Amino acid sequence: MPRSSSLKRYKEKRHFDRTPEPKGSVARDKGHAYLIQKHAARRLHYDFRLELDGVLKSWAVTKGPSLDPAVKRLAVHVEDHPLAYGDFEGIIPPGQYGGGTVMLWDRGSWEPLGDVHKEYAAGKLKFILRGERLQGGWTLVRMHGHHPGDHGDNWLLIKERDE
Ligand code: MN
């Protein structure tokens, strides 16, 4: 399993005796689940998650996805989450990491358009979403000067023009 699939950071940030979030583990099956959780934490954001290598690669989108291809949304790449997180809705107690209310906002599947591991490492991921709210072509592109998983790993989420 590639190092990038570790849930170490996810587990380090949470006290599982104090949060209802799933502990989870790296899954062996290789699917392409996609979901967004609306997270009313200290600051409202949308957690954008794409299943890759048995975990949910995760970005916190500050203002919510925009359907306008001219609008680039800041998407802060955060720690990998377990696949089980995709079913989580509920209240993370105040004082715990991410304290606030988590609600599923969209879910479905995604389809990478290129060599997903190469594109992810290079910081430019093009894909199709098949969700209930979001569909069509999208791009996640890393802003210069960062590497996946770094603190302050800022990407942009951009809608592509569909035919
Ligand atoms: Mn969040």
Side-chain angles (χ1 to χ4, degrees):
M1 194 61 67
R3 195 176 64 88
S4 59
S5 292
S6 168
L7 294 172
K8 188 166 177 278
R9 290 180 66 211
Y10 174 83
K11 289 178 179 172
E12 279 170 358
K13 288 180 175 209
R14 290 168 175 82
H15 300 281
F16 292 100
D17 51 344
R18 292 180 225 158
T19 177
E21 295 165 288
K23 198 165 180 184
S25 56
V26 177
R28 267 196 238 159
D29 48 314
K30 300 278 190 272
H32 283 117
Y34 143 74
L35 65 118
I36 293 178
Q37 282 151 324
K38 186 177 178 180
H39 187 177
R42 198 158 46 88
R43 285 190 188 162
L44 176 68
H45 59 273
Y46 293 77
D47 287 308
F48 184 93
R49 310 196 197 278
L50 300 176
E51 179 184 352
L52 183 65
D53 297 332
V55 296
L56 294 169
K57 296 290 175 193
S58 297
W59 289 261
V61 182
T62 46
K63 285 184 182 166
S66 172
L67 298 178
D68 180 352
V71 175
K72 299 169 167 65
R73 286 288 195 238
L74 176 64
V76 180
H77 202 350
V78 298
E79 75 276 15
D80 295 345
H81 282 51
L83 292 191
Y85 209 93
D87 295 320
F88 176 69
E89 288 190 301
I91 297 170
I92 302 169
Q96 297 305 304
Y97 179 71
T101 303
V102 176
M103 285 177 56
L104 270 167
W105 188 82
D106 197 17
R107 75 189 313 173
S109 63
W110 71 290
E111 180 191 330
L113 291 178
D115 179 327
V116 63
H117 294 101
K118 250 186 212 170
E119 289 199 353
Y120 176 69
K124 190 168 188 182
L125 202 50
K126 286 181 173 283
F127 51 92
I128 303 287
L129 289 183
R130 295 194 183 89
E132 288 167 31
R133 290 184 190 247
L134 302 188
Q135 290 100 24
W138 293 78
T139 298
L140 269 168
V141 60
R142 190 170 66 221
M143 294 166 82
H144 64 85
H146 297 290
H147 299 285
D150 278 1
H151 180 69
D153 188 3
N154 293 335
W155 296 52
L156 297 169
L157 177 66
I158 307 161
K159 179 77 190 76
E160 293 294 319
R161 287 179 202 284
D162 295 315
E163 284 161 31

